[in-house]
Amino acid sequence: MVKSVVMFSSGISSWAAAKRYAGEHGAKGMVLVFADTLIEDADNYRFLYEAAENIGGRLEILREGRPPWEVMKDKQIIGNSRIDPCSDILKRRPLHRWQKENCGPETPIILGICFDEEQRYSRIKDRSPEWNYLAPLCEKPWISKRDTLAWARREGLTPPRMYEMGFPHANCGGFCIKGGHASFALLLRHFPDRFMHHEREEEKMREIVGNHSILKDRRNGQSNPLTLRALRERIESNQEIDEFDLGGCGGIGAMTQEAES
């Protein structure tokens, strides 16, 4: 019997939210639901299983079957900060479908949203009042991401390595169509082969959809497509990029959007 559900991302915040809830209510009947994009970093998969064992809940893995670029090819679109077909099809829809099939309106559904993003939690509750969404990390005592990382280590867990590399989140192997210039600069620095794969895939898609790209060049008060190749060439030639533009995907936490239904 499903008593509680955690939307489990393989990142540190969803672990901490599940751990806090289980500490108060127990892990019996808890299901940790993970939507696999097939491009997570290998260390995330390692953490996924170790974190589930640490919490004590049952791990449920959902796989739609396509990686992000295959989804974008099928949809004939390059995702960006405004359009996220990969998160929609690979995460939100499978999770929402599982939720409707296995949960009742009273079932606690745990989200790994932190207190400094409480506005996201409020939007989710407002959009879907029929579901019992909870965000334990939005409750006092508030803890930062640094605190959650330290907490995991005290539990004997090693958090996903991407946090130590400076990534704002540890999802999708550092690739995110809602990521900014700084996120992709981190991807190029730490995983150059991975970056080149996404660069090639974007170039292939541009042959189909035209002059579109994941990123935007907003210099001189204008907004123009900025390809991953162009970003890489700027970085390699020591040109200035927006080092504060991390961006990021709401992923599971955005799962009440219209596109899921």
Side-chain angles (χ1 to χ4, degrees), residues 110-127:
I110 315 304
L111 304 175
I113 296 177
C114 295
F115 72 94
D116 55 353
E117 297 180 307
E118 190 169 2
Q119 70 280 1
R120 288 174 57 208
Y121 178 43
S122 296
R123 287 198 301 269
I124 289 171
K125 291 195 298 180
D126 290 343
R127 287 172 177 169

Side-chain angles (χ1 to χ4, degrees), residues 124-194:
I124 289 171
K125 291 195 298 180
D126 290 343
R127 287 172 177 169
S128 298
E130 70 276 15
W131 292 105
N132 186 20
Y133 287 112
L134 301 176
L137 299 184
C138 289
E139 301 172 1
K140 294 182 179 179
W142 294 330
I143 56 175
S144 67
K145 181 166 286 187
R146 179 178 294 181
D147 294 331
T148 62
L149 292 167
W151 181 13
R153 293 187 182 99
R154 290 196 301 271
E155 291 283 328
L157 294 171
T158 300
R161 61 178 177 169
M162 292 175 60
Y163 293 115
E164 291 290 332
M165 297 175 180
F167 287 92
H169 63 77
N171 303 124
C172 294
F175 169 74
C176 179
I177 57 171
K178 290 194 172 185
H181 297 195
S183 288
F184 280 96
L186 283 169
L187 183 64
L188 178 61
R189 181 188 312 160
H190 294 288
F191 303 107
D193 292 344
R194 198 174 294 177

